[in-house]
Amino acid sequence: LSIVGFTVILLGLAALIVTLETKSLFFLLLTTILIGFGHGPTFAGSLALTNHISPDESRGDIIASFYVLTYLGVSLPILGLGFAARWVGLNNAIIIYTALMAAMILVSMTFWIIDSRKERKALG
């Protein structure tokens, strides 16, 4: 589930770069849709994994922390983008943001795949 989300977000980031180059409303809408649809499965998969690995006695605390960190993880990069835009310009800030997000998503995908393979081996 999360791999699909990661992939769709990467496609959305690529559409964002195309939007910058073309100034196209179509690509802006496509970017919004792709990133939105990618965020859902990624969030759901991450929440399911967190729920799965959390010990019963502290699951509520861990899930609450998950939500706090998720909202920080969504909002802080956007705030950083706004600050960066003041120094390097909006288009350059968006390109830097997109490159950083793509790199982090690729790292996350790698670890997700490695973890999934380990779990499959452990199950059977």
Side-chain angles (χ1 to χ4, degrees), residues 72-85 97 101:
L72 286 174
V74 170
S75 60
L76 290 179
I78 299 303
L79 292 171
L81 176 64
F83 286 117
Y97 170 84
M101 288 295 117

Side-chain angles (χ1 to χ4, degrees), residues 8-24 26-35 78 81 90-102:
V8 174
I9 291 174
L10 286 171
L11 291 172
L13 291 173
L16 179 59
I17 297 299
V18 173
T19 301
L20 285 177
E21 295 300 319
T22 64
K23 310 286 191 262
S24 166
F26 170 77
F27 280 107
L28 178 62
L29 294 173
L30 182 63
T31 297
T32 305
I33 290 167
L34 288 171
I35 291 177
I78 299 303
L81 176 64
L90 183 58
N91 282 359
N92 288 333
I94 291 172
I95 291 168
I96 292 166
Y97 170 84
T98 301
L100 289 172
M101 288 295 117

Side-chain angles (χ1 to χ4, degrees), residues 4-124:
V4 171
F6 287 138
T7 304
V8 174
I9 291 174
L10 286 171
L11 291 172
L13 291 173
L16 179 59
I17 297 299
V18 173
T19 301
L20 285 177
E21 295 300 319
T22 64
K23 310 286 191 262
S24 166
L25 179 60
F26 170 77
F27 280 107
L28 178 62
L29 294 173
L30 182 63
T31 297
T32 305
I33 290 167
L34 288 171
I35 291 177
F37 278 123
H39 183 75
T42 304
F43 178 82
S46 299
L47 180 59
L49 177 64
T50 303
N51 191 44
H52 175 71
I53 64 174
S54 299
D56 290 338
E57 62 274 0
S58 59
R59 183 167 289 131
D61 295 334
I62 292 171
I63 297 300
S65 298
F66 174 86
Y67 276 102
V68 169
L69 292 172
T70 298
Y71 286 114
L72 286 174
V74 170
S75 60
L76 290 179
I78 299 303
L79 292 171
L81 176 64
F83 286 117
R86 295 183 65 114
W87 290 306
V88 298
L90 183 58
N91 282 359
N92 288 333
I94 291 172
I95 291 168
I96 292 166
Y97 170 84
T98 301
L100 289 172
M101 288 295 117
M104 287 189 284
I105 289 168
L106 290 170
V107 168
S108 297
M109 284 176 77
T110 302
F111 282 108
W112 190 274
I113 291 167
I114 290 168
D115 189 57
S116 295
R117 287 181 181 164
K118 284 181 185 177
E119 189 171 321
R120 275 186 262 153
K121 282 183 183 179
L123 292 175

